Amino acid sequence: MRALPSARSTGLLGLAATATILGGALIAAVPYRGWAGESYSPLNHFVSELGEVARSQLSVAFNFGVIGGGLGLGLFLILLSRRLTGRYRPALAAAGVVADVSGTLVGIFPMDYHPIHGLVSAVFFCTGWIVMAIFSAWLLTTPRQRFGRWLLIPAALGVAASLVFVAVFANYSPLPPDAHIIERPAIWTVPTLEWSALLGLLAWFACVSLELLRPETASSAQGAR
């Protein structure tokens, strides 16, 4: 069987994909002006508003960032899953594929395609935390693996942020798809929690990627073939 790509190349892929998503969001956020002429703020704007073609001036940067970064993170998770053992390997691969496909579709079907966008966004946020949970379970139960257990900390924070957001959003009554938000509170709980969930997941990806770049991990984290 062909050997795995090196831990270093896998870690660099994870960092590059994470940076692509964040870079696209930042580029779109700078010139953004909402329906009331307001600037973008993660404290009271939803993530997907950056990709809304009808309103976001550089929506293409956000949407292409999500698509490119999402595909990169999908490959990253497949490569990472091959370093796991036992039942955790197919579990991480399966959860990773679902999260990756749904996340990538967020960029293909932005807010302007409301029904599909709402569905794929929901699937992404409901499966992203499962990816972190599966890897953490493997980390806790597998002896002699070479990943640092400090990764349990960003995973716990990411899972907590995702579950809180999912719980709050489940009771949220969104406006009609064609409605424009004119007045926003300075701090709006739902979009703030959405950003917390997304950044928690991306921070976990970055931490795992950095761990793969560690000399000790890169030289010994070969995984089962």
Side-chain angles (χ1 to χ4, degrees), residues 62-75:
F62 176 81
N63 291 327
F64 272 95
V66 169
I67 295 169
L71 292 174
L73 290 180
L75 178 57

Side-chain angles (χ1 to χ4, degrees), residues 1-6 82-85 89 221-225:
M1 183 178 290
R2 295 178 61 183
L4 283 173
S6 69
R82 294 180 63 190
R83 297 181 180 277
L84 274 58
T85 53
R89 175 183 286 190
Q222 299 302 318
R225 293 292 187 268

Side-chain angles (χ1 to χ4, degrees), residues 90-123:
L92 183 65
V97 167
V98 175
D100 170 60
V101 170
S102 58
T104 302
L105 287 174
V106 168
I108 297 175
F109 297 101
M111 277 185 66
D112 309 76
Y113 304 90
H114 191 269
I116 300 177
H117 179 83
L119 175 62
V120 295
S121 296
V123 173

Side-chain angles (χ1 to χ4, degrees), residues 68 83 114 135 158 166 172 190 201 206:
R83 297 181 180 277
H114 191 269
F135 184 83
V166 170
Y172 169 67
V190 182
L201 178 60

Side-chain angles (χ1 to χ4, degrees), residues 4 7 23 45 51 59-60 66 78-79 95 101 129 159 175 205 214:
L4 283 173
H45 287 75
S59 59
V60 64
V66 169
I78 291 174
L79 295 175
V101 170
W129 71 269
V159 169
L175 295 173
F205 273 113
R214 229 171 28 99

